Amino acid sequence: MAVTLKTAEELEKMRVAGRLAAEVLEMIEPYVVAGVSTGELDNICHNYMVNEQHTIPAPLNYRGFPKSICTSVNQVVCHGIPSTKKVLKNGDILNIDITVIKDGYFGDTSKMFCVGDVPEHAVRLIKVTQECLYKAINIVRPGIRLGDIGHIIQQHAEANYYSVVRDYCGHGIGTEFHQDPQVLHFGKPDTGMTLQQGMTFTIEPMLNAGKYHTKLKKDGWTVETRDGRLSAQWEHTLAVTADGVEVLTARTDEQW
Ligand code: MF3
Ligand code: CO
Ligand code: CO
């Protein structure tokens, strides 16, 4: 699959989809409390997307995924399946990953939430993971290479004694959920594809408190850390502009 460069008209549709995805994350925030189940969070997001935004929840039925959002709690790295049996408790950390389709274009974004009082070590993992995403966003412009993105993320993660998940990566995005190129969150400077104006892709680093190895659960979707330790992830959809980057899924008041 080739990398597609988006026209101004396509970028405008990506902007709309990205903003709508961000709005789902803003909407769900007050509901993320001890006692709520991830299945209920899925329901609230599904109804908001379908009935209020008139967007399509991209995960639903995507390669057989059974729900409308991904909810990844504690040692779950990504692709957690919402369930009414999974009730959040004080001290949990979780990632909610939202992907909407609007007018044929995709917007994909995720953030971490803390349930009640979260241990200091977990707060730190979440903070460093977000810093990794922001450091990567801040170097994006035409002429840099994908390896530069991977390198800056890996550098900051490992400087803080965390590991970067190898088995899952960011991706091109547009009229499909996952397009070329693959955006690895580790790598060497000055290697890989050179970025050009009009490229749209996600950066979505997953950092583990322990080792980077993952295991897939028997449900075929839920990815956990192999050592059972915590994992965190943040994701944005970006566009490469003439002289820098546009964060298509930026939330209100977010600064990077
Ligand atoms: N939103 C995820 C990503 O960032 C993909 C989820 S696929 C699903 O690429 F099927 F699990 F929803
Ligand atoms: Co993504
Ligand atoms: Co996502």
Side-chain angles (χ1 to χ4, degrees), residues 7-175:
T7 63
E9 291 72 28
E10 291 177 294
L11 270 179
E12 187 47 39
K13 293 183 180 183
M14 295 284 298
R15 230 171 247 130
V16 172
R19 180 66 206 144
L20 288 162
E23 281 172 7
V24 180
L25 286 178
E26 294 175 330
M27 179 280 301
I28 200 63
E29 169 101 55
Y31 297 96
V32 183
V33 293
V36 78
S37 71
T38 56
E40 290 171 87
L41 296 176
D42 175 71
N43 246 309
I44 296 164
C45 288
H46 177 94
N47 291 333
Y48 184 77
M49 289 187 264
V50 171
N51 300 327
E52 305 208 23
Q53 293 188 327
H54 307 291
T55 56
I56 299 168
L60 188 59
N61 300 318
Y62 175 76
R63 300 185 181 202
F65 191 80
K67 296 289 175 181
S68 295
I69 67 173
C70 295
T71 50
S72 301
V73 182
N74 295 335
Q75 80 286 354
V76 178
V77 174
C78 62
H79 306 165
I81 302 174
S83 164
T84 50
K85 284 185 273 185
K86 183 65 190 175
V87 176
L88 298 179
K89 59 179 192 310
N90 187 58
D92 282 344
I93 63 168
L94 81 151
N95 175 279
I96 299 182
D97 193 338
I98 301 293
T99 312
V100 306
I101 313 171
K102 183 71 167 183
D103 204 5
Y105 285 79
F106 288 67
D108 187 7
T109 184
S110 79
K111 64 166 285 191
M112 295 300 296
F113 295 85
C114 292
V115 182
D117 308 309
V118 163
E120 192 52 44
H121 66 90
V123 171
R124 197 173 152 275
L125 172 65
I126 289 170
K127 178 171 173 282
V128 171
T129 305
Q130 187 179 38
E131 288 167 359
C132 284
L133 172 59
Y134 288 169
K135 282 176 182 287
I137 288 172
N138 282 319
I139 63 165
V140 171
R141 60 178 169 76
I144 74 148
R145 301 177 70 172
L146 286 177
D148 299 327
I149 292 175
H151 178 72
I152 202 164
I153 292 168
Q154 182 176 16
Q155 180 72 37
H156 189 58
E158 292 178 357
N160 285 280
Y161 302 95
Y162 297 133
S163 64
V164 177
V165 171
R166 306 290 206 256
D167 301 334
Y168 301 88
C169 60
H171 49 92
I173 182 168
T175 54

Side-chain angles (χ1 to χ4, degrees), residues 130 133-135 137-138 236 238 245-251 253-256:
Q130 187 179 38
L133 172 59
Y134 288 169
K135 282 176 182 287
I137 288 172
N138 282 319
H236 272 312
L238 313 171
V245 64
E246 183 175 339
V247 181
L248 301 174
T249 47
R251 293 179 299 282
D253 298 333
E254 189 182 3
Q255 213 61 51
W256 48 88

